[in-house]
Amino acid sequence: MSKKNPTICVIPDTQVAPGVNIDHFEALGNYLVEKQPDYVVHIGDHWDMKSLSFFDEKKVGFESRDYQADIDAGNHAMDDLMTPIAEYNAGKRGKNRYEPTKIYHMGNHEERITRFRSEAINSRFRNVVTQDDFDLDGWQVEPFLKINKVAGIHFSHYFAAQMSGRALGGNAQYKLTKLKFSFVQGHQQQMDCSSETLNNGSTIRGLMAGSFYQHVEEYRGLQNSGEWHGVHMMYDCNDGNYDHSEISMNFLRSRYL
């Protein structure tokens, strides 16, 4: 799709795991049908993949985690997101159908599969444990940390510091100063945004998208209350600039379920 000044819906980290509430995916699907943005960009970490977490493998209870359950949970949520669009399109043809360009950025949680497969001790599972298990039919899939640009806006799960390769830290303003281009990233649950108008009259904008899930992640601790849950609409996107609307989780669930 090459529509001029498109509208983009950004879905932050969803981190779906077995047993968590996922009715917000149906709400978002209904919202997309109503608003019909030109692009839907998921910034990654949809499949939480707790069964492959290197950080948790020595914790009590880790042995009960199940790879297939992790895959099924994420696929179920993705189906809930896409079902309202499929139902809307049923029986429609041509321009009457809603068919946005859907872009999925692999996150570090999906990358747990790549890391698992790269270890020699796990070589016998390489035909069993695979990112092909993700239900991403119809999505343009971008590899972990690949930067994709739409309307002058650079998207990636996160952006790396050039010298270390680690995730670039700091708030949105700091990252904007370092990156020097308009960007959208996930990875950090706190939402933050910034903009800067340059001497040539152009504007660059930075967005740390927050999160899109209802559950509480245990690793966040008792005092990490700075999370923001929702999605973002970016209107009139052109050369890195856009009009930004925050669509909260509470709003979606109260109006679109």
Side-chain angles (χ1 to χ4, degrees):
M1 181 183 292
S2 58
K3 182 177 178 179
K4 184 178 180 181
N5 295 18
T7 298
I8 304 172
C9 178
V10 177
I11 307 174
D13 300 29
T14 42
Q15 292 187 210
V16 179
V20 302
N21 191 347
I22 59 171
D23 64 7
H24 52 291
F25 286 93
E26 179 185 356
L28 178 56
N30 291 330
Y31 176 84
L32 292 174
V33 166
E34 179 180 302
K35 303 301 182 182
Q36 300 201 2
D38 303 297
Y39 288 82
V40 178
V41 179
H42 195 311
I43 212 66
D45 279 3
H46 177 75
W47 289 265
D48 201 348
M49 301 310 302
K50 292 183 183 295
S51 60
L52 299 182
S53 173
F54 171 80
F55 301 102
D56 293 347
E57 61 184 6
K58 294 182 180 180
K59 291 183 178 180
V60 174
F62 182 80
E63 69 280 358
S64 66
R65 298 183 183 183
D66 184 271
Y67 170 80
Q68 192 59 53
D70 286 348
I71 295 292
D72 291 344
N75 286 348
H76 185 189
M78 191 63 74
D79 183 63
D80 284 355
L81 174 63
M82 292 292 101
T83 293
I85 298 177
E87 291 177 347
Y88 173 83
N89 285 335
K92 291 184 172 65
R93 295 183 179 181
K95 293 182 179 180
N96 293 322
R97 294 172 61 85
Y98 173 51
E99 296 179 327
T101 297
K102 304 189 299 293
I103 303 173
Y104 189 89
H105 288 264
M106 290 291 183
N108 56 290
H109 282 248
E110 287 92 2
E111 191 67 4
R112 288 172 174 175
I113 287 181
T114 302
R115 185 169 60 246
F116 178 88
R117 288 164 54 87
S118 70
E119 296 177 0
I121 193 173
N122 298 323
S123 61
R124 62 192 182 279
F125 297 115
R126 286 177 186 156
N127 292 326
V128 179
V129 177
T130 169
Q131 290 182 345
D132 292 341
D133 289 334
F134 299 150
D135 185 3
L136 287 170
D137 289 345
W139 291 80
Q140 172 186 322
V141 179
E142 300 291 353
F144 180 51
L145 297 188
K146 183 177 183 294
I147 299 173
N148 185 58
K149 186 166 69 171
V150 179
I153 306 161
H154 300 72
F155 295 85
S156 183
H157 183 64
Y158 65 74
F159 295 86
Q162 289 189 329
M163 298 304 293
S164 70
R166 296 178 181 176
L168 183 64
N171 59 20
Q173 179 59 56
Y174 175 78
K175 292 177 181 177
L176 196 62
T177 301
K178 296 293 289 185
L179 295 172
K180 300 179 177 63
F181 53 66
S182 291
F183 73 88
V184 175
Q185 72 154 81
H187 194 61
Q188 295 175 257
Q189 285 79 8
Q190 185 175 8
M191 191 272 289
D192 190 21
C193 55
S194 184
S195 65
E196 182 177 346
T197 301
L198 307 180
N199 285 6
N200 63 5
S202 63
T203 298
I204 55 175
R205 302 179 66 104
L207 175 62
M208 295 157 52
S211 61
F212 189 55
Y213 51 77
Q214 298 181 57
H215 58 279
V216 176
E217 288 290 347
E218 181 180 317
Y219 65 84
R220 295 284 292 164
L222 296 176
Q223 295 190 21
N224 281 311
S225 58
E227 295 188 22
W228 182 85
H229 305 288
V231 301
H232 303 267
M233 291 289 283
M234 302 160 64
Y235 294 97
D236 197 29
C237 300
N238 181 37
D239 197 24
N241 198 8
Y242 52 88
D243 297 328
H244 177 206
S245 292
E246 302 166 12
I247 315 299
S248 73
M249 174 77 75
N250 288 341
F251 176 81
L252 284 172
R253 296 185 68 245
S254 65
R255 293 286 295 275
Y256 291 93
L257 281 180

